[in-house]
Amino acid sequence: MSLSIHQLNVGYQDKTIVKQITLDIPDGKIVALLGPNGCGKSTLLKAIARILTPQSGEVRWQGTNLHKLPSRQLATQLALLPQTQPIPEGVKVKDLVAYGRSPYTGFWGRLNKKDHVIIQQAMQQVGVDILAEQYVSELSGGQRQRVWLAMTLAQDTPYLLLDEPTTYMDLNHQVELMKLLRQLNQKGKTIITVLHDINQAARYCDHLIVMRDGDVVTQGSPDSVLTPELLLSVFNVDAQIHTDPIANTPMCIVR
């Protein structure tokens, strides 16, 4: 396993949110972090991305404590799309996406031909290439979310960390995004994403990690994880599990 978590405690100031988690993240999969609000999903993702420093325990990248790796080296391996992003003034879409190349060029480095190709591909993948000359501050929330995603893709890392990536997106763009994640995964990227939509996770993700109160309740394939008992105990919903007639994946139907 390239990415693993060992006896991890992490939180904010004196409050511990994620408690004593030990976990191996499977390589080459789309991994969804699921659980009710406040259970520690985003906190765990931020610890993996080195946004938060563990109170104890550690996150390891290829056996080495991730917090001891040089920042630029780590930035060529892991790319994070946070839950919320600032709205930059006076920055065009193409220029914001280009910041994703910083680990390879330096923050003020010159872009070469390869960089420009990757930037253009990233914008095309999420459908913002037609917005390239517009200012980010003039876009809708859903458009801005796709621009930030394009910047994350332009970083061109083997691991993508996405915190609620479908936020602000219309339903059609949500579907397009999840299909894009599947395509990226098929090309070799490991993707770890926080999601709220259980059926979306079951349809597009290979491995589910279910959290409650800062701990991992269970993990595994959607077929093995999603049960009426789990949905009741973790999400407090009375539901049945059926088979999606199109995707042939588990589908949660609330009574």
Side-chain angles (χ1 to χ4, degrees):
M1 297 292 178
S2 296
L3 190 60
S4 58
I5 297 160
H6 300 266
Q7 296 295 307
L8 184 70
N9 287 284
V10 63
Y12 305 90
Q13 298 176 339
D14 295 331
K15 185 177 182 181
T16 301
I17 304 297
V18 169
K19 306 165 186 175
Q20 288 293 308
I21 284 183
T22 295
L23 190 63
D24 289 329
I25 304 295
D27 292 329
K29 304 290 186 182
I30 303 180
V31 180
L33 300 177
L34 300 175
N37 288 339
C39 71
K41 303 183 299 294
S42 294
T43 300
L44 176 59
L45 197 71
K46 288 177 182 177
I48 294 172
R50 211 166 70 174
I51 302 299
L52 291 176
T53 300
Q55 297 166 335
S56 63
E58 60 186 34
V59 181
R60 296 175 187 167
W61 174 255
Q62 296 181 344
T64 300
N65 187 336
L66 180 143
H67 282 77
K68 295 181 178 179
L69 293 173
S71 296
R72 182 168 290 187
Q73 177 186 348
L74 185 62
T76 64
Q77 302 300 316
L78 307 177
L80 170 69
L81 176 67
Q83 190 175 46
T84 57
Q85 303 86 24
I87 303 175
E89 295 291 336
V91 177
K92 290 185 177 181
V93 167
K94 65 179 183 180
D95 296 325
L96 181 61
V97 177
Y99 290 152
R101 301 303 300 159
S102 297
Y104 308 94
T105 65
F107 191 77
W108 299 110
R110 294 177 62 86
L111 299 172
N112 60 30
K113 183 177 180 180
K114 178 182 177 182
D115 294 320
H116 285 292
V117 169
I118 291 173
I119 291 164
Q120 184 65 25
Q121 287 176 341
M123 290 193 294
Q124 289 174 342
Q125 283 178 314
V126 298
V128 298
D129 50 313
I130 60 174
L131 305 174
E133 296 295 335
Q134 289 190 230
Y135 289 100
V136 178
S137 58
E138 297 174 348
L139 304 180
S140 69
Q143 289 172 325
R144 285 198 299 270
Q145 182 76 349
R146 286 187 283 142
V147 172
W148 283 101
L149 176 59
M151 189 191 78
T152 305
L153 294 179
Q155 200 170 325
D156 195 25
T157 58
Y159 271 63
L160 286 177
L161 313 179
L162 309 174
D163 195 353
E164 298 187 30
T166 56
T167 300
Y168 306 120
M169 286 187 180
D170 296 332
L171 182 59
N172 64 318
H173 287 129
Q174 291 185 34
V175 173
E176 287 175 5
L177 169 64
M178 297 309 296
K179 288 181 177 179
L180 171 61
L181 297 186
R182 174 56 66 189
Q183 292 168 6
L184 294 170
N185 174 252
Q186 290 171 348
K187 293 178 180 178
K189 289 187 186 292
T190 298
I191 299 166
I192 309 169
T193 180
V194 173
L195 292 174
H196 279 295
D197 189 323
I198 295 172
N199 288 332
Q200 199 173 68
R203 185 166 190 171
Y204 293 103
C205 301
D206 308 298
H207 190 85
L208 309 183
I209 298 173
V210 182
M211 299 182 65
R212 179 181 58 200
D213 298 328
D215 196 8
V216 173
V217 176
T218 187
Q219 62 173 312
S221 67
D223 284 318
S224 65
V225 164
L226 294 180
T227 64
E229 294 77 17
L230 176 105
L231 295 171
L232 184 62
S233 64
V234 174
F235 298 95
N236 197 31
V237 293
D238 184 11
Q240 295 179 338
I241 302 296
H242 295 271
T243 300
D244 185 315
I246 296 175
N248 200 34
T249 54
M251 181 174 61
C252 167
I253 300 178
V254 179
R255 295 179 189 271

